[in-house]
């Protein structure tokens, strides 16, 4: 069979396939019904879109069948889908919709309160779970998969406008064409051996690129079914996997840690799941996941914008991500000069000994698949400089060419004149069995540079024991002398973004001036509660030297008390 060059062609191939293709709760649609439903929506969309405007629609939905149906419809109609983040609010939410020039916004009744009072001129609202929507769609029920295909659809036709977040500024809408999305799906089919009988479980939010590019697209390209979870649930994960017969899933951020934090059960290995693919689980938790659930996790790396990718091979060292994907010319360079960094050097314990010299920003010096940002030339110019694609991520490379993730460029810490990467410290702290989730970030040092702060979410039933943490740190042979956290914040749950990534911006902004228990490391390596006189003395150091403390508007809370418990707000 000829390889499809567009997503529209992949959708058309579903016609006449009466195997189950989409599952959600009690709903089961065949591949044919998915293609038929997409054709009807594409025909409706063709009538709704103004010829004088951009062929863009926004989708403000949880993971319900309407989301993949509208993705498929947009592909047939030659339109682009902007995934709208339901955690955004007010003017920011309206900005996302207007910025992407959405003529139509597909939503559901549960999301309508988010739209109250928003100024969205010229945007047609479709509310999927209403009688009015059903009546609007009914006349198009007989459409075939080729009836609404816009002339001229090709690999370069825009397909997705998905928002990528940064530490500053408004989210940027990255462009993904039909050709790139279809190619990504085919690549993962080949890489993971996707079979027609597979079921891809989509529990990550579909407004984000991970769920669409790494989960939905390979299912579509390989003829596999998809099963949807409205929103990620750690407690409901295995029940869903069993009910749907799921064999593959994707994850980002802290999803794996949440799954490991659920109570162990005797039947944890009784399921059809064979593979998980994602980022940021870390080698320690990936090993724990395989030991407990019998499922291999494949850690990958790909910049959200598609500008660089790393593939893991069988000979990849445990802590490495892998080597550059075919066609990419990846290098680790000094972000200031562009000069390539030297290879990493490890001691007998596996500790990186030349981090200050070896860690740099990952760039792609070859031809990049990055397709730009929608109406944001300044951001494009920052991303592509001197003909190179700059990922904004820190890496180091060993002598054999394997690449190791070291954090984001804004996750770098400078402690006592030494550059440290937050991700490396997190990987060490993640070994502590008592911690369910870990985040490391910088807080200002009273004199100069940074101090290391860690937020820890404890496992169910565990109580933070500072002596146990001190003993654990002392036993880690690869913990550098400046890596031990100066401050430890105990959080009831790790604050995360809508895509389950740690909300480091908020953590950095609050620093140790928060409502959770905070412990400070003593010169002897032990930890004592930061409160009362200790906190006053520390604040006096900052005041004496005129050092600015992080203090975002509206987040200043009372500090911990002398015994480490939080004062009431």
């Amino acid at each position: 069979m000829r390889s499809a060059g567009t997503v529209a062609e992949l959708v058309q191939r579903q016609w006449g396939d009466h195997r189950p293709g989409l599952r959600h709760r009690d709903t089961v649609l065949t591949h044919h019904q998915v293609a038929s439903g997409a054709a009807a929506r594409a025909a409706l969309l063709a009538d709704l879109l103004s010829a004088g405007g951009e062929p863009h629609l926004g989708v403000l939905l949880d993971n319900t069948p309407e989301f993949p149906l509208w993705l498929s419809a947009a592909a047939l109609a030659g339109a682009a889908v902007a995934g709208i983040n339901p955690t955004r609010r007010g003017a920011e939410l309206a900005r996302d919709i207007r910025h992407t020039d959405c003529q139509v916004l597909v939503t559901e009744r549960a999301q309508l309160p988010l739209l109250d009072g928003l100024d969205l001129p010229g945007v047609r609202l479709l509310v999927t779970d209403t009688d009015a929507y059903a009546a609007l769609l009914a006349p198009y029920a007989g459409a075939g998969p080729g009836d609404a295909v816009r002339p001229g659809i090709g690999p370069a036709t825009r397909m997705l406008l998905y928002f990528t977040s940064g530490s500053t500024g408004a989210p940027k809408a990255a462009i993904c064409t039909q050709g790139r999305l279809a190619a990504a799906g085919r690549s993962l089919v080949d890489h993971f051996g996707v079979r027609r009988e597979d079921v891809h479980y989509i529990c990550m939010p579909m407004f984000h690129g991970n769920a669409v590019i790494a989960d939905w697209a390979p299912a579509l390209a390989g003829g596999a079914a998809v099963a949807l979870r409205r929103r990620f649930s750690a407690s409901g994960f295995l029940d869903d996997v069993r009910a749907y017969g799921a064999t593959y899933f994707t994850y980002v951020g802290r999803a794996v840690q949440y799954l490991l934090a659920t109570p162990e059960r005797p039947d944890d290995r009784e399921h059809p799941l064979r593979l998980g693919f994602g980022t940021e689980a870390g080698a320690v938790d990936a090993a724990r996941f395989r030991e407990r659930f019998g499922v291999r996790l494949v850690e990958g790396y790909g910049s959200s914008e598609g500008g660089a990718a790393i593939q893991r091979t069988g000979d990849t060292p445990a802590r490495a991500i892998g080597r550059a994907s075919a066609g990419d010319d990846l290098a680790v360079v000094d972000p200031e000069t562009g000069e390539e960094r030297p290879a990493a050097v490890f001691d007998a314990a596996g500790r990186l000994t030349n981090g200050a010299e070896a860690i740099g920003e990952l760039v792609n010096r070859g031809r990049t698949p990055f397709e730009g940002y929608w109406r944001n030339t300044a951001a494009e110019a920052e991303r592509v400089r001197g003909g190179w694609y700059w990922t904004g991520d820190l890496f180091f490379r060993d002598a054999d060419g394997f690449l190791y993730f070291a954090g984001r460029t804004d996750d770098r810490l400078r402690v006592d004149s030494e550059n440290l990467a937050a991700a490396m410290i997190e990987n060490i702290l993640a070994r502590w069995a008592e911690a369910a989730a870990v985040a490391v970030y910088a807080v200002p040092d009273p004199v100069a540079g940074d101090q290391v702060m860690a937020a820890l979410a404890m496992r169910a039933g565990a109580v933070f024991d500072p002596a146990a943490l001190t003993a654990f740190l002392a036993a880690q042979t690869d913990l550098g002398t400046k890596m031990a956290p100066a401050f430890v914040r105990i959080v009831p749950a790790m604050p995360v973004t809508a895509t389950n990534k740690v909300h480091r911006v908020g953590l950095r902004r609050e620093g140790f001036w928060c409502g959770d228990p905070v412990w400070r490391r003593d010169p002897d390596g032990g930890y004592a509660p930061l409160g009362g006189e200790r906190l006053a003395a520390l604040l006096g150091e900052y005041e004496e030297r005129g050092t600015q403390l992080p203090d975002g508007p509206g987040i200043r809370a009372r500090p911990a008390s002398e015994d480490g418990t939080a004062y009431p707000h």
Side-chain angles (χ1 to χ4, degrees):
M1 182 181 292
R2 183 178 65 85
S3 179
T6 66
V7 178
E9 292 175 84
L10 294 174
V11 174
Q12 288 173 304
R13 287 183 182 180
Q14 294 180 296
W15 196 261
D17 185 345
H18 296 286
R19 297 175 302 122
L22 193 157
R23 300 173 183 269
H24 177 251
R25 295 182 176 174
D26 296 330
T27 299
V28 180
L29 300 180
T30 66
H31 289 283
H32 176 84
Q33 288 173 316
V34 171
S36 176
R41 286 160 179 79
L44 168 62
L45 186 61
D47 285 346
L48 292 180
L49 292 177
S50 166
E54 296 291 349
H56 297 174
L57 68 148
V59 177
L60 177 60
L61 295 170
D62 286 335
N63 292 356
T64 66
E66 289 288 345
F67 211 128
L69 282 168
W70 275 102
L71 283 171
S72 298
L76 293 176
V81 171
I84 306 301
N85 184 344
T87 68
R88 301 271 281 173
R89 293 292 185 272
E92 292 183 342
L93 178 62
R95 177 263 173 200
D96 293 349
I97 298 167
R98 292 196 304 265
H99 173 70
T100 45
D101 296 315
C102 295
Q103 296 191 51
V104 175
L105 180 63
V106 181
T107 190
E108 56 191 331
R109 285 183 291 181
Q111 312 290 358
L112 289 179
L114 300 180
L115 303 174
D116 284 348
L118 298 191
D119 183 23
L120 300 172
V123 179
R124 174 72 179 267
L125 204 63
L126 302 183
V127 185
T128 59
D129 49 351
T130 61
D131 292 339
Y133 175 75
L136 188 64
L137 197 55
Y140 302 93
D147 292 346
V149 175
R150 194 184 77 192
I153 290 178
T157 302
R158 281 193 303 276
M159 173 72 208
L160 300 176
L161 297 171
Y162 55 98
F163 287 100
T164 64
S165 59
S167 59
T168 59
K172 303 175 290 291
I175 298 169
C176 180
T177 59
Q178 290 213 23
R180 180 156 78 89
L181 185 57
R186 293 195 306 270
S187 175
L188 290 174
V189 167
D190 295 339
H191 191 64
F192 292 132
V194 176
R195 307 164 301 193
R196 284 166 59 84
E197 60 267 28
D198 279 329
V199 177
H200 285 209
Y201 178 53
I202 303 179
C203 54
M204 296 293 100
M206 293 194 75
F207 67 79
H208 187 254
N210 168 273
V212 175
I213 297 172
D215 214 341
W216 179 74
L220 184 65
V226 298
L228 305 176
R229 175 83 188 196
R230 177 177 276 272
R231 293 187 181 181
F232 173 74
S233 167
S235 62
F237 181 84
L238 273 185
D239 290 340
D240 277 356
V241 164
R242 296 185 181 110
Y244 295 134
T247 57
Y248 170 97
F249 78 108
T250 62
Y251 60 88
V252 293
R254 291 297 179 259
V256 168
Q257 286 85 346
Y258 295 148
L259 292 171
L260 288 170
T262 59
E264 293 190 25
R265 294 168 18 181
D267 61 351
D268 275 344
R269 282 176 168 248
E270 296 175 12
H271 55 75
L273 200 62
R274 66 184 177 89
L275 181 69
F277 175 50
T279 62
E280 300 182 39
V284 172
D285 283 329
R288 288 174 176 166
F289 197 87
R290 186 163 191 167
E291 180 181 356
R292 175 174 168 184
F293 298 108
V295 178
R296 180 170 66 105
L297 298 185
V298 177
E299 283 279 292
Y301 171 86
S303 66
S304 299
E305 296 85 348
I310 299 172
Q311 287 190 339
R312 188 176 186 87
T313 55
D315 58 343
T316 301
R319 290 185 293 126
I321 300 295
R323 286 193 174 102
S325 297
D328 284 351
D329 177 15
L330 302 187
V332 178
V333 304
D334 184 321
E336 299 297 328
T337 67
E339 295 180 1
E340 193 159 359
R341 294 292 203 182
V345 177
F346 304 97
D347 64 15
R351 180 171 53 198
L352 179 66
T353 61
N354 64 334
E357 296 79 26
I359 295 173
E361 185 169 351
L362 185 71
V363 300
N364 187 354
R365 301 179 298 193
R367 183 177 179 181
T368 172
F370 174 55
E371 296 174 310
Y373 297 115
W374 181 251
R375 300 199 190 286
N376 197 334
T377 55
E380 286 183 17
E382 176 64 22
R383 185 64 68 191
V384 180
R385 307 192 305 275
W388 294 356
Y389 177 87
W390 296 73
T391 66
D393 292 327
L394 299 173
F395 275 78
F396 55 92
R397 186 198 298 264
D398 67 19
D400 296 319
F402 290 103
L403 292 158
Y404 298 69
F405 180 67
R408 313 297 179 192
T409 51
D410 58 354
D411 288 340
R412 195 163 190 168
L413 303 83
R414 188 164 179 81
V415 179
D416 194 17
S417 300
E418 183 174 329
N419 291 320
L420 303 175
M424 297 178 65
I425 305 173
E426 285 180 355
N427 290 339
I428 295 172
L429 290 174
R431 301 171 193 159
W432 194 33
E434 297 301 297
V438 177
V440 170
Y441 46 98
V443 292
D445 184 276
V447 179
D450 303 314
Q451 292 190 10
V452 179
M453 185 161 184
L456 302 179
M458 306 303 291
R459 295 195 178 277
V463 177
F464 177 66
D465 180 351
L469 176 62
T470 300
F472 165 80
L473 293 174
Q476 307 312 302
T477 58
D478 56 345
L479 184 76
T481 58
K482 299 174 183 178
M483 289 183 174
F487 302 96
V488 174
R489 173 180 177 178
I490 305 303
V491 296
M494 192 62 67
V496 294
T497 66
T499 55
N500 286 309
K501 295 184 177 182
V502 172
H503 194 357
R504 283 187 177 81
V505 174
L507 289 171
R508 279 194 298 265
R509 189 170 58 224
E510 293 177 354
F512 54 76
W513 190 253
C514 60
D516 294 321
V518 175
W519 300 73
R520 189 184 186 190
R521 193 167 189 254
D522 291 331
D524 62 0
Y527 287 90
L530 181 65
E533 293 182 1
R534 294 189 188 95
L535 177 62
L538 176 62
L539 295 177
E541 291 182 47
Y542 285 94
E543 184 175 356
E544 180 182 348
R545 292 174 172 84
T547 305
Q548 179 64 43
L549 276 171
D551 182 20
I555 56 85
R556 183 180 286 272
R558 297 191 68 181
S561 62
E562 283 289 354
D563 63 358
T565 59
Y567 284 119
H569 288 256

